């Protein structure tokens, strides 16, 4: 049976245009089928769906597989033709060992990662053949299969005349509809973050970012359970957010403080999870100008805001039973005549003064004020995400998001969530050692760069943020290293990665389950 994929982001700029066209082709019977196969010493094993299909074609699937080459290794694919009238091609993909599970060394579920990778390979194969519809083997884990399909097929080509065929992915078979749907929502959430991060800075200003999130959230909300406040400069001034304002004034583009509320809990008074995201829609470095080579990547410097907002849109689409508040200070970091100058001193919302020795360390200035504001809510936890330091990339590369937290409870939840999603986190230190390096400033209470500027750059940035935190459960996620993908994550194409949106969603899911138990 065919179970059409419901696109909950109905106003999606990413997918909706293709719907009528693919539906037409789908009706004419042109579609692909992706089936998984496990490695085994003696004989490869088909999945349940594979076995059923093989029976349907009287054993021809197995026969053709044996005739056409050696057993399929993990992540490898083979396209077969003429097997069944409903499918113009059947792509068989290697899932690795059936016994794979959580790997202690890798800190992720290998089986889930294998499914995501294999399914993405198969779906892209169908896309290359310009077939607009693909049915996907749930591989006994429909959520991971859906994630592999929807993440693997995504490509940002909004601004090109020549576009890849938009492929609609559907679950093959009758079972696991709910898990499939969940996987689609998780992946669409990450794709929304990828879309926002990839969009050029001249096409996604702070105002446009806020309006797009408002639109997406209103499309998925139920009974007005989501509210959006797009706060203008005057509000930011009233809030005494001097650190944020000092960055924003270096650009002609007006800043925005985006505040979103999702109230999914049965009780509106349940303490919310507060998510905060750095939203620098372009980071030139300001007067401490960055080198021009690679500067274009700084259109993705709103990755923190993109991932936390996308996670909240996804939580709303999933109707998670908890309350979440999202805060995103949005602005550009540019070097105009009013821009911050090295040595300038500004005052943050909590009254602390900051000496700005490097205008390129702007993210912590925005976040200082946003964290102060986050403390005005009676939160269960505050989690912020930011493409904060190049040093984070030096430390862990794109393997994992660095997590700096004062709460082992919070760490455990984030860590466990990331093992399931495969979008990993790794704990980093918040030692007093680093705090000393930002609190010894010649002119002010704090300095925006560490005393020994290059050493432990990700840790001194985290120590700076800690100066604005008094709650017992806070985590800072430095996502600079996972901002973009070359080919490290096989089921993501080259480009902005939208990481760790799925881990944030899984974390929120776990938190909502914990609150229901209480
Ligand atoms: N947005 C950058 C950090 C970044 C670098 C993100 C590479 C993604 C990829 C941040 O604003 C920045 O410029 N940080 C400086 C801090 C330094 C001046 C203390 C850095 O990392 O060089
Ligand atoms: Mg910077
Ligand atoms: Zn930045």
């Amino acid at each position: 049976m065919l179970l059409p994929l419901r696109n909950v982001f109905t106003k999606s700029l990413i997918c909706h245009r293709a719907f009528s066209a693919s539906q037409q082709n789908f009706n004419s019977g042109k579609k692909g089928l992706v089936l998984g196969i496990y490695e085994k010493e003696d004989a490869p094993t088909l999945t349940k769906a594979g076995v059923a299909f093989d029976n349907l074609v009287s054993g021809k699937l197995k026969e053709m597989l044996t005739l056409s080459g050696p057993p399929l290794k993990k992540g490898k694919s083979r396209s077969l033709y003429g097997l069944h009238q409903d499918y113009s091609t059947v792509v068989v993909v290697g899932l690795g060992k059936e016994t794979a599970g959580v790997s202690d060394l890798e800190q992720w579920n290998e089986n889930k990662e294998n499914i995501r990778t294999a399914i993405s390979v198969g779906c892209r194969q169908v896309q290359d053949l310009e077939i607009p519809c693909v049915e996907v083997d749930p591989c006994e884990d429909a959520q991971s299969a859906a994630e592999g399909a929807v993440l693997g097929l995504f490509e940002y080509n909004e601004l090109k005349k020549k576009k890849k065929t938009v492929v609609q992915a559907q679950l093959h078979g009758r079972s696991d509809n709910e898990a499939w749907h969940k996987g689609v929502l998780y992946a669409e959430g990450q794709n929304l973050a990828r879309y926002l991060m990839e969009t050029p800075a001249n096409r996604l200003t702070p105002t446009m970012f806020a309006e797009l999130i408002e639109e997406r959230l209103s499309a998925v909300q139920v009974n007005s359970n989501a509210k959006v406040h797009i706060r203008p400069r005057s509000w930011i001034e009233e809030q005494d957010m001097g650190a944020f304002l000092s960055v924003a004034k270096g650009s002609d583009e007006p800043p925005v403080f985006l505040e979103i509320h999702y109230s999914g809990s049965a009780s509106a008074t349940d303490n919310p999870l507060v998510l905060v995201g750095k939203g620098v829609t372009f980071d030139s470095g300001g007067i401490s100008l960055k080198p021009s080579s690679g500067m274009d990547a700084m259109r993705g410097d709103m990755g923190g805001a993109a991932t936390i907002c996308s996670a909240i849109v996804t939580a709303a689409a999933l109707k998670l039973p908890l309350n979440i508040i999202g805060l995103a200070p949005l602005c550009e970091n540019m070097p105009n005549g009013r821009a911050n100058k090295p040595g300038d001193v500004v005052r943050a919302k909590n009254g602390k003064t900051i000496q700005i020795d490097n205008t390129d360390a702007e993210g912590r200035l925005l976040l200082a004020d946003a964290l102060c504001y986050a403390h005005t809510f009676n939160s269960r936890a505050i989690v912020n995400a930011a493409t904060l330091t190049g040093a984070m990339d030096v430390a862990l590369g794109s393997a994992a998001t660095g997590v700096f937290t004062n709460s082992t409870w919070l760490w455990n939840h984030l860590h466990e969530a990331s093992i399931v999603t495969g979008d990993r986190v790794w704990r980093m230190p918040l030692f007093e050692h680093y705090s000393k390096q930002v609190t010894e400033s010649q002119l002010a209470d704090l300095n925006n760069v560490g005393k020994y500027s290059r050493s432990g750059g990700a840790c001194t940035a985290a120590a700076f943020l800690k100066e604005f935190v008094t709650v017992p459960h806070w985590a800072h996620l430095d996502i600079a290293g996972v901002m973009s993908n070359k080919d490290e994550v096989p089921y993501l194409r080259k480009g902005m990665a939208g990481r760790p949106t799925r881990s944030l969603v899984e974390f929120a899911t776990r938190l909502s389950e914990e609150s229901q138990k209480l």
Side-chain angles (χ1 to χ4, degrees):
M1 193 179 79
L2 292 173
L3 295 160
L5 173 145
R6 192 170 70 88
N7 189 345
V8 293
F9 300 137
T10 40
K11 290 184 186 165
S12 169
L13 295 166
I14 304 165
C15 316
H16 91 282
R17 213 181 323 98
F19 254 63
S20 51
S22 59
Q23 202 62 44
Q24 229 172 3
N25 283 304
F26 161 74
N27 290 338
S28 68
K30 196 168 191 276
K31 59 183 167 174
L33 173 63
V34 174
L35 293 172
I37 191 160
Y38 288 104
E39 262 172 51
K40 224 180 192 177
E41 283 114 50
D42 35 355
T45 325
L46 285 166
T47 59
K48 273 190 201 150
V51 171
F53 184 78
D54 193 39
N55 288 338
L56 186 72
V57 296
S58 323
K60 262 201 250 153
L61 172 65
K62 265 196 165 162
E63 195 184 319
M64 275 176 89
L65 271 174
T66 331
L67 286 174
S68 58
L72 280 166
K73 290 253 178 307
K74 188 167 92 179
K76 298 287 175 213
S77 70
R78 193 167 300 149
S79 302
L80 306 172
Y81 302 92
L83 266 174
H84 191 278
Q85 59 187 21
D86 285 353
Y87 305 103
S88 31
T89 182
V90 176
V91 186
V92 185
V93 288
L95 293 169
K97 294 216 161 50
E98 201 173 359
T99 50
V102 174
S103 158
D104 189 42
L105 203 61
E106 293 297 333
Q107 295 287 301
W108 65 23
N109 185 318
E110 215 158 292
N111 186 235
K112 288 182 185 294
E113 280 294 282
N114 290 348
I115 294 170
R116 292 181 189 108
T117 303
I119 295 300
S120 75
V121 168
C123 289
R124 284 179 197 155
Q125 189 74 40
V126 172
Q127 189 174 42
D128 285 347
L129 294 166
E130 299 183 5
I131 301 172
C133 183
V134 61
E135 279 186 30
V136 175
D137 180 347
C139 304
E140 280 78 68
D141 180 350
Q143 183 178 346
S144 300
E147 288 175 3
V150 177
L151 292 171
L153 286 166
F154 176 85
E155 189 172 60
Y156 182 89
N157 50 23
E158 287 299 303
L159 307 168
K160 285 181 183 168
K161 219 179 261 149
K162 202 168 156 238
K163 299 183 199 300
K164 279 210 166 72
T165 308
V166 181
V167 180
Q168 196 186 338
Q170 298 177 329
L171 173 65
H172 176 72
R174 286 167 196 277
S175 60
D176 302 330
N177 205 3
E178 210 175 297
W180 171 267
H181 184 55
K182 194 171 161 196
V184 169
L185 292 184
Y186 271 53
E188 282 187 341
Q190 183 169 350
N191 286 351
L192 173 58
R194 292 163 90 184
Y195 174 85
L196 290 164
M197 292 170 76
E198 200 71 85
T199 304
N202 65 335
R203 291 173 174 268
L204 194 77
T205 61
T207 308
M208 289 152 89
F209 180 108
E211 286 172 356
L212 200 144
I213 291 300
E214 182 176 38
E215 184 188 304
R216 294 302 172 91
L217 204 55
S218 72
V220 294
Q221 71 171 341
V222 184
N223 301 330
S224 315
N225 66 357
K227 298 236 165 350
V228 176
H229 305 277
I230 302 178
R231 315 283 199 190
R233 191 195 295 268
S234 54
W235 182 91
I236 306 167
E237 283 166 356
E238 280 162 28
Q239 289 291 320
D240 291 325
M241 294 185 171
F244 174 29
L245 280 167
S246 79
V247 178
K249 71 182 165 57
S251 166
D252 289 357
E253 201 57 61
V256 164
F257 192 96
L258 176 63
E259 178 176 336
I260 61 182
H261 291 237
Y262 163 66
S263 307
S265 172
S267 162
T269 54
D270 273 358
N271 294 351
L273 163 67
V274 178
L275 300 178
V276 183
K278 169 179 171 182
V280 176
T281 56
F282 189 74
D283 180 10
S284 71
I287 297 299
S288 313
L289 197 66
K290 286 181 182 294
S292 56
S293 156
M295 205 203 270
D296 68 291
M298 286 300 113
R299 67 181 178 278
D301 206 23
M302 25 55 78
T307 52
I308 66 120
C309 290
S310 301
I312 296 172
V313 171
T314 309
L318 287 161
K319 304 185 182 64
L320 291 188
L322 88 164
N323 298 332
I324 315 180
I325 295 175
L327 306 172
L330 294 151
C331 72
E332 289 182 344
N333 185 23
M334 295 288 281
N336 73 11
R338 284 176 303 279
N340 279 329
K341 301 169 288 295
D344 280 1
V345 173
V346 298
R347 189 183 302 274
K349 184 173 165 60
N350 66 352
K352 287 197 182 182
T353 53
I354 306 164
Q355 179 175 339
I356 301 171
D357 275 354
N358 192 320
T359 68
D360 197 11
E362 84 297 343
R364 61 198 80 180
L365 299 174
L366 276 62
L367 288 173
D369 282 333
L371 284 170
C372 291
Y373 184 62
H375 281 69
T376 63
F377 302 98
N378 199 359
S379 61
R380 287 174 78 179
I382 299 176
V383 176
N384 75 259
T387 47
L388 204 63
T389 64
M392 192 65 238
D393 185 38
V394 173
L396 299 182
S398 58
T401 292
V403 176
F404 301 79
T405 180
N406 58 0
S407 162
T408 299
W409 169 80
L410 199 49
W411 161 249
N412 286 338
H413 276 302
L414 287 163
H415 181 218
E416 281 166 20
S418 81
I419 291 173
V420 174
T421 62
D423 199 344
R424 294 178 293 199
V425 296
W426 194 250
R427 194 166 184 176
M428 300 285 289
L430 274 174
F431 302 142
E432 176 64 23
H433 175 96
Y434 301 111
S435 299
K436 276 196 220 136
Q437 297 178 27
V438 290
T439 50
E440 286 171 22
S441 173
Q442 199 181 353
L443 305 172
D445 301 327
L446 296 169
N447 200 298
N448 83 326
V449 285
K451 211 162 54 167
Y452 315 110
S453 61
R454 283 178 50 80
S455 305
C459 306
T460 50
F464 179 94
L465 296 183
K466 188 167 164 277
E467 293 299 312
F468 297 88
V469 172
T470 55
V471 294
H473 302 294
W474 161 68
H476 153 54
L477 276 52
D478 194 332
I479 59 170
V482 300
M483 180 176 78
S484 58
N485 196 58
K486 287 176 278 300
D487 56 8
E488 311 91 306
V489 180
Y491 49 88
L492 301 178
R493 286 193 166 112
K494 182 171 156 36
M496 295 297 170
R499 292 171 64 187
T501 304
R502 284 179 306 115
S503 295
L504 288 171
V505 175
E506 182 64 23
F507 163 70
T509 303
R510 281 155 184 266
L511 219 55
S512 72
E513 283 162 3
E514 187 176 277
S515 66
Q516 290 202 315
K517 264 187 256 154
L518 292 176

